[in-house]
Amino acid sequence: METIKVAIVGATGATGSSIVNGLLASDSVRYEITALIRPASMQKPAVAELAKRGVKVVSAELTAPQEELVNLLTGIDVVISAIYIAELKSEMLLADAAKAAGVKRFVPCFFATVIPPKGVTALRDMKEDVLNHIKKMHLGYTVIDVGWWYQLSIPRLPSGRIDYALTMTNSPIAGEGKVPSGLTDLRDVGKFVAKIIADPRTLNRMVFAYTKLWTQTEVRDLMDRLSGEKCTREYMSPKEIQDAIAECLTDPSKYIAVATLQYLNSWGVRGDNTPEIAKYLGYLLASELYPELASQLRSLDEYFQEVLDGKGVPPYGKRLG
Amino acid sequence: METIKVAIVGATGATGSSIVNGLLASDSVRYEITALIRPASMQKPAVAELAKRGVKVVSAELTAPQEELVNLLTGIDVVISAIYIAELKSEMLLADAAKAAGVKRFVPCFFATVIPPKGVTALRDMKEDVLNHIKKMHLGYTVIDVGWWYQLSIPRLPSGRIDYALTMTNSPIAGEGKVPSGLTDLRDVGKFVAKIIADPRTLNRMVFAYTKLWTQTEVRDLMDRLSGEKCTREYMSPKEIQDAIAECLTDPSKYIAVATLQYLNSWGVRGDNTPEIAKYLGYLLASELYPELASQLRSLDEYFQEVLDGKGVPPYGKRLG
């Protein structure tokens, strides 16, 4: 079996954990994983857990002198960044070191919905800056976007019985809720990644890896059917979304609200998060590259049933309900 | 024969003329061309010449109210911008109107060397802004880059006999002059465009259309051989090029020097203007799409011989020699 050496930043985060699970479970490629962990986090239980599972854990600060990072990355085939959003700027330092170390493929932290490169969401704008930096260096790369998570798509039920699984206030319905958007179970992200990073066809390309298209109305209808309740339906017109973004932008502390609303505008109003727009923007589709994966991906029905059964695990490890 | 309706901005310029010639000469597609001409230029001889050759000439200001442009573009299949560099910002208005008019394919003004999207040359950065604007609108597009023109690659001969054909001071040799770069006869640009804009494979893609790779040393050796003289060889190290760019950037009036030096750094030092980097950046190669074109493209030998025979026509219609 082929062996690929992977270094990952953010291995204990929501996306990073899914990726580590996916790589360790791979049956077509053997992944040797090195997790770059910040010195301050080395003692965390999640890090000890990684080591127990065969992940090599090394202490690394992205802002350290470049030669330290280059030493750590020498001999590594693929570097994956599942970095915390606020650290996106240090990702460029990681890319610089990867280039200097001769890394063959750099996977920058995208792992979100399909969005045009500039001018739609501030977050994508920043990610695009990193990608442009990578392209300037002629560094091999693969961008992976995974759509919107099931875990962020749970509507609220009047009984409150699934509030435990809500991570952020659920998005209101944009417009009439008829815009399709690609959804994926967070836990399946790693399955896609394990395929994509071993595939020569995806080198220097963007890949859109999602499970199924859903409109916000369909998502609510599904929850109604499975729960026997009628879930909350709050509507927000495109104009109201725009106005709310403009208002939140005046207050720097509201950056999470801005990000959430800009995402909603992109996938819920503009309809960016679809295979058609992905192809227009130059993405390959994981569904076309790996049709054999389809049977291994969790359906939204399965996930909602888990949540209703009290077994839904909210991402970020936080329970807001 | 298929008919495609094309509107073009900049039809009388260096690139625009080549494109119009290429479209009119096409034997596989019939092109109906509308040239959008600024009101102030409507009386120019070159515009009358276009009309005589069957091009529909209409007066249009890109900064006019959008509905005027939309009216002009309604029913047009392909819009080509071969706009003057300084007008790049109005190109976004043209793209807006093209989107509103239902134009299927917008060809923004690239038509230069292959360069990474951001951070290498200021000109490409601006072009990328237009492309990102297009992508934000989900407007069909094709980016066409053509390499560096033969017409800008003429070395100086001590005898001065080909000075008449020099348009700008010829670039010094970057480093040791060993970096290959794709060159094309300006007059052949239109031949590529006529193929590319009728091709469904190039929709929403970038295409690199060049004739042959040449190093600066090879170009000078060729001129030596054909002329029997020894052409001037001025060298500039990568560091000197960087320093010159930095110095010129402090003086806004030196924007042409900055552009020329940044181009030289990209194609002569970094080696961006090659099929390898083009593919890395996502370009298709015209040589692979249209191998049948090869026999119709002018060689650099032919062009240099024309210049030595006193028949070289400098681009931009100006003779500086």
Side-chain angles (χ1 to χ4, degrees):
Chain A
M1 205 189 297
E2 187 192 4
T3 297
I4 296 180
K5 294 186 181 175
V6 173
I8 178 167
V9 170
T12 61
T15 295
S17 304
S18 178
I19 294 172
V20 168
N21 292 341
L23 299 188
L24 290 177
S26 165
D27 52 13
S28 51
V29 175
R30 202 176 77 83
Y31 286 106
E32 274 184 33
I33 310 175
T34 301
L36 306 191
I37 303 286
R38 276 182 300 186
S41 302
M42 284 294 280
Q43 302 311 322
K44 290 190 178 167
V47 174
E49 188 59 36
L50 280 177
K52 229 183 285 174
R53 296 172 67 203
V55 172
K56 184 177 165 194
V57 171
V58 300
S59 169
E61 197 77 81
L62 301 188
T63 50
Q66 199 190 64
E67 60 267 32
E68 289 182 27
L69 277 178
V70 173
N71 276 342
L72 291 175
L73 299 182
T74 299
I76 296 287
D77 302 303
V78 180
V79 171
I80 300 175
S81 169
I83 206 166
Y84 179 60
I85 292 168
E87 304 288 333
L88 267 181
K89 291 235 156 159
S90 347
E91 202 183 349
M92 295 206 197
L93 302 172
L94 183 66
D96 291 342
K99 176 72 184 175
V103 166
K104 300 184 197 102
R105 190 193 301 243
F106 188 88
V107 181
C109 189
F110 277 66
F111 301 114
T113 57
V114 171
I115 305 171
K118 286 279 179 180
V120 177
T121 76
L123 220 48
R124 176 68 183 226
D125 289 2
M126 289 165 61
K127 293 175 176 180
E128 201 68 22
D129 290 344
V130 177
L131 182 57
N132 286 335
H133 181 70
I134 288 168
K135 289 181 178 173
K136 185 179 169 185
M137 292 191 288
H138 305 163
L139 171 62
Y141 74 88
T142 303
V143 163
I144 304 174
D145 272 317
V146 300
W148 200 244
W149 300 339
Y150 291 173
Q151 282 75 5
L152 300 178
S153 305
I154 313 172
R156 198 177 285 266
L157 287 178
S159 67
R161 63 176 162 136
I162 59 171
D163 281 2
Y164 78 94
L166 298 174
T167 296
M168 33 165 98
T169 28
N170 47 342
S171 292
I173 298 173
E176 298 181 356
K178 298 276 165 63
V179 174
S181 170
L183 301 190
T184 304
D185 192 305
L186 168 58
R187 296 166 295 176
D188 287 336
V189 167
K191 293 178 190 162
F192 285 118
V193 173
K195 291 280 186 186
I196 293 168
I197 65 171
D199 186 345
R201 295 172 297 177
T202 63
L203 187 63
N204 307 323
R205 298 298 302 260
M206 302 192 289
V207 184
F208 182 32
Y210 72 101
T211 298
K212 201 179 159 217
L213 291 175
W214 289 85
T215 68
Q216 288 183 287
T217 302
E218 288 167 348
V219 167
R220 278 155 185 78
D221 289 349
L222 173 67
M223 184 56 93
D224 288 353
R225 184 163 63 74
L226 294 177
S227 68
E229 298 185 45
K230 184 93 186 161
C231 61
T232 335
R233 281 167 168 79
E234 284 166 36
Y235 291 86
M236 207 167 172
S237 73
K239 168 89 170 60
E240 286 167 333
I241 295 172
Q242 289 301 344
D243 291 349
I245 292 171
E247 198 193 313
C248 291
L249 278 173
T250 62
D251 180 350
S253 74
K254 293 193 173 164
Y255 67 97
I256 290 180
V258 169
T260 309
L261 287 162
Q262 286 183 334
Y263 267 125
L264 180 63
N265 178 54
S266 175
W267 59 256
V269 177
R270 294 175 41 90
D272 289 326
N273 189 39
T274 62
E276 291 74 25
I277 297 300
K279 283 196 156 181
Y280 163 78
L281 291 170
Y283 285 79
L284 301 171
L285 299 184
S287 57
E288 293 180 357
L289 297 171
Y290 322 109
E292 72 278 11
L293 255 190
S295 63
Q296 299 170 43
L297 302 172
R298 291 173 179 88
S299 68
L300 188 59
D301 303 49
E302 272 172 81
Y303 175 66
F304 276 1
Q305 193 56 57
E306 281 179 46
V307 170
L308 287 164
D309 293 345
K311 298 183 214 142
V313 179
Y316 309 127
K318 282 183 269 174
R319 298 187 174 213
L320 301 187
Chain B
M1 206 190 297
E2 187 191 4
T3 297
I4 296 180
K5 293 185 181 177
V6 173
I8 178 167
V9 170
T12 62
T15 295
S17 304
S18 178
I19 294 172
V20 168
N21 292 341
L23 299 187
L24 290 177
S26 164
D27 52 13
S28 51
V29 175
R30 203 175 77 81
Y31 285 106
E32 275 184 32
I33 311 174
T34 300
L36 306 190
I37 303 287
R38 276 183 299 186
S41 303
M42 284 294 280
Q43 302 310 320
K44 290 191 178 165
V47 174
E49 188 59 34
L50 280 177
K52 230 185 281 174
R53 296 172 66 202
V55 172
K56 183 177 165 193
V57 171
V58 301
S59 169
E61 197 76 81
L62 300 188
T63 50
Q66 199 190 63
E67 60 266 35
E68 289 181 26
L69 278 178
V70 172
N71 276 341
L72 290 175
L73 298 182
T74 298
I76 295 288
D77 301 304
V78 179
V79 170
I80 299 174
S81 170
I83 207 166
Y84 179 61
I85 291 168
E87 305 288 333
L88 266 181
K89 290 237 157 157
S90 346
E91 202 184 347
M92 295 207 196
L93 302 172
L94 184 67
D96 291 341
K99 176 71 184 176
V103 166
K104 300 184 197 104
R105 189 192 302 242
F106 188 87
V107 181
C109 189
F110 277 65
F111 301 114
T113 56
V114 171
I115 305 171
K118 286 279 179 181
V120 178
T121 77
L123 221 48
R124 176 68 183 226
D125 289 1
M126 288 165 60
K127 292 175 177 180
E128 201 68 22
D129 290 343
V130 177
L131 182 57
N132 285 336
H133 181 71
I134 288 168
K135 288 180 176 172
K136 185 179 168 185
M137 291 191 289
H138 306 161
L139 171 62
Y141 74 89
T142 303
V143 163
I144 304 173
D145 272 317
V146 299
W148 199 245
W149 298 340
Y150 291 173
Q151 282 75 5
L152 300 178
S153 306
I154 313 171
R156 198 176 284 266
L157 286 178
S159 68
R161 62 177 163 135
I162 58 169
D163 282 1
Y164 78 95
L166 298 174
T167 297
M168 32 165 100
T169 28
N170 47 343
S171 292
I173 298 173
E176 298 180 358
K178 298 275 164 65
V179 174
S181 170
L183 301 189
T184 305
D185 192 306
L186 168 58
R187 296 166 295 176
D188 287 337
V189 167
K191 292 176 190 162
F192 285 117
V193 174
K195 291 280 186 187
I196 293 167
I197 65 170
D199 186 345
R201 295 172 297 177
T202 63
L203 187 63
N204 307 325
R205 299 298 302 260
M206 302 192 288
V207 184
F208 181 33
Y210 72 101
T211 299
K212 202 178 158 216
L213 291 175
W214 289 86
T215 68
Q216 288 184 286
T217 302
E218 287 167 349
V219 167
R220 278 156 185 77
D221 289 350
L222 173 67
M223 184 55 94
D224 288 354
R225 184 164 61 76
L226 293 176
S227 68
E229 299 185 43
K230 185 93 185 160
C231 61
T232 335
R233 281 168 167 80
E234 286 165 34
Y235 292 85
M236 207 167 172
S237 73
K239 169 89 170 58
E240 287 168 332
I241 294 172
Q242 288 301 344
D243 291 348
I245 291 171
E247 197 194 313
C248 290
L249 278 172
T250 63
D251 179 351
S253 75
K254 292 193 173 162
Y255 67 96
I256 291 180
V258 169
T260 310
L261 286 161
Q262 287 184 332
Y263 267 125
L264 180 63
N265 178 54
S266 174
W267 61 255
V269 177
R270 294 174 41 89
D272 289 326
N273 190 39
T274 62
E276 291 74 26
I277 297 300
K279 282 196 158 181
Y280 164 78
L281 292 171
Y283 285 78
L284 301 172
L285 299 184
S287 57
E288 293 180 357
L289 296 171
Y290 321 110
E292 73 279 10
L293 254 191
S295 62
Q296 299 170 44
L297 302 172
R298 291 172 178 89
S299 70
L300 187 61
D301 302 50
E302 271 172 81
Y303 175 66
F304 276 2
Q305 194 56 57
E306 280 179 49
V307 170
L308 288 164
D309 293 345
K311 296 184 214 144
V313 179
Y316 310 127
K318 282 183 269 174
R319 297 186 174 215
L320 301 187

